[in-house]
Amino acid sequence: MAARQELTFHEFEEAADLLAETPGATTISSLGELQGHVSLAVDPQDQEDGELEENDQTQLLGGEKQPPNFWTFSYHQSFFDVDTDQVLERIKSSLLPAPSQNFVRHCLRHHPDLYGPFWICATLAFTLAVSSNLAPLLQSWREASLPYSPQFHKVTVAGITIYCYAWLVPTALWGFLQWRKGVRERVGCYTFLETVCVYGYSLFVYIPTVVLWLIPISGLQWFLGVLAVSLSGAVLLLTFWPLVRSDAKVVSAVLLTVMVALHALLALGCKFYFFQSLPSRSVPVTQAPLRQVTPPGSSSKTSAAS
């Protein structure tokens, strides 16, 4: 009797352990033999689910996460994964560059975004087109004789100019740094997105400058343009100087000079093309024809002489 109770208890304990590992299974016990025998009938669907769960856990524990495809939305979503505070902080750093802070390391923190550069370029192009149409309008109001016609093609020109500059120049700079990195091992290089992000945020200072160019004072306009180029160029110099300072002095000097010169040419091009003053027209003065006045009595003398 004692031996049979031990067999019964042993069978229940083994079945309980197996049921805990595979829920949903049914037990079929056979007590006809002296040793307890337990068989499990496992549902095929439960078995497949368990295998899938094990595979998922193995991938998660091993860190094997497949990157999203380039043509999927999730791939590009990571480039716009920023909040308002981060964008405002990066804009503030681009307006007030500090020599002790690197824009990529202290502001981007190796997490570049395309949200800020995209909307900065769009805002700058729209502001540039609108301000360039308002400037001659204000001039025509001051001088009633000047004609004014809206120039909608400047919207297209402004958009193409700003976006081409914000993409082509960083691309060329990134390619040049990659080449120099292969030539000299000590030369550093940022990623392509970090380079584009730096250039995008550096253009923000041009937005208030373009708006203030509506003030019809030539000296003030040139002062604001020089100030904008200085602040924006300082961001580029402080960001890329640590990468090229280990390179040859001539190469570093030429590269930094070209970067600032292209930034200045962008400002000059916007100033001369989009803010051309209307030619002043001189109002013609009509003069009355001169009338010869003959003194009285001259007509009688003329007739007597004849």
Side-chain angles (χ1 to χ4, degrees), residues 20-299:
E21 294 179 357
T22 56
T26 57
T27 60
I28 301 174
S29 60
S30 176
L31 300 177
E33 298 178 356
L34 294 177
Q35 295 179 352
H37 178 71
V38 179
S39 63
L40 293 177
V42 182
D43 191 1
Q45 184 67 27
D46 294 339
Q47 186 177 2
E48 293 178 359
D49 295 340
E51 292 178 356
L52 291 176
E53 291 179 359
E54 290 179 358
N55 293 332
D56 294 339
Q57 291 177 359
T58 304
Q59 291 181 357
L60 290 175
L61 292 176
E64 298 177 356
K65 186 177 181 181
Q66 297 180 356
N69 192 8
F70 177 80
W71 303 106
T72 59
F73 179 77
S74 58
Y75 178 83
H76 301 277
Q77 186 179 5
S78 61
F79 303 145
F80 296 85
D81 188 14
V82 288
D83 53 13
T84 306
D85 295 334
Q86 290 178 340
V87 174
L88 293 178
E89 180 185 357
R90 295 173 180 182
I91 290 175
K92 181 181 178 182
S93 299
S94 66
L95 291 175
L96 301 173
S100 59
Q101 291 185 354
N102 186 287
F103 189 83
V104 173
R105 298 175 182 174
H106 294 84
C107 299
L108 298 184
R109 298 183 182 90
H110 301 289
H111 183 66
D113 70 286
L114 295 180
Y115 179 85
F118 175 81
W119 286 112
I120 287 174
C121 293
T123 306
L124 178 58
F126 179 77
T127 306
L128 190 60
V130 172
S131 300
S132 63
N133 278 274
L134 288 178
L137 178 61
L138 297 177
Q139 185 180 358
S140 65
W141 282 353
R142 294 194 306 269
E143 303 176 13
S145 60
L146 294 178
Y148 169 75
S149 60
Q151 300 176 350
F152 296 105
H153 68 279
K154 289 186 176 181
V155 179
T156 305
V157 175
I160 294 175
T161 303
I162 299 302
Y163 276 102
C164 287
Y165 179 84
W167 280 94
L168 296 181
V169 175
T171 302
L173 177 61
W174 176 78
F176 180 79
L177 292 177
Q178 289 286 345
W179 172 67
R180 294 303 300 175
K181 184 178 180 181
V183 174
R184 298 176 66 94
E185 296 180 355
R186 297 180 61 184
V187 177
C189 183
Y190 297 127
T191 63
F192 175 72
L193 289 179
E194 289 174 346
T195 307
V196 173
C197 189
V198 172
Y199 264 83
Y201 280 101
S202 67
L203 295 176
F204 181 83
V205 70
Y206 286 160
I207 297 177
T209 304
V210 167
V211 176
L212 293 176
W213 274 351
L214 290 173
I215 302 175
I217 301 176
S218 179
L220 180 61
Q221 291 178 352
W222 284 109
F223 172 76
L224 293 174
V226 172
L227 180 62
V229 172
S230 301
L231 293 176
S232 185
V235 175
L236 299 179
L237 292 178
L238 295 175
T239 303
F240 291 97
W241 167 245
L243 300 181
V244 300
R245 64 182 176 183
S246 59
D247 202 347
K249 294 182 178 180
V250 177
V251 177
S252 303
V254 171
L255 177 61
L256 297 178
T257 303
V258 169
M259 291 170 56
V260 177
L262 291 176
H263 233 52
L265 286 177
L266 178 65
L268 289 175
C270 294
K271 178 68 174 63
F272 286 114
Y273 180 80
F274 293 97
F275 290 89
Q276 293 179 353
S277 59
L278 295 176
S280 59
R281 287 186 178 181
S282 59
V283 180
V285 179
T286 57
Q287 295 181 355
L290 297 177
R291 183 179 299 177
Q292 186 178 3
V293 180
T294 57
S298 61
S299 59

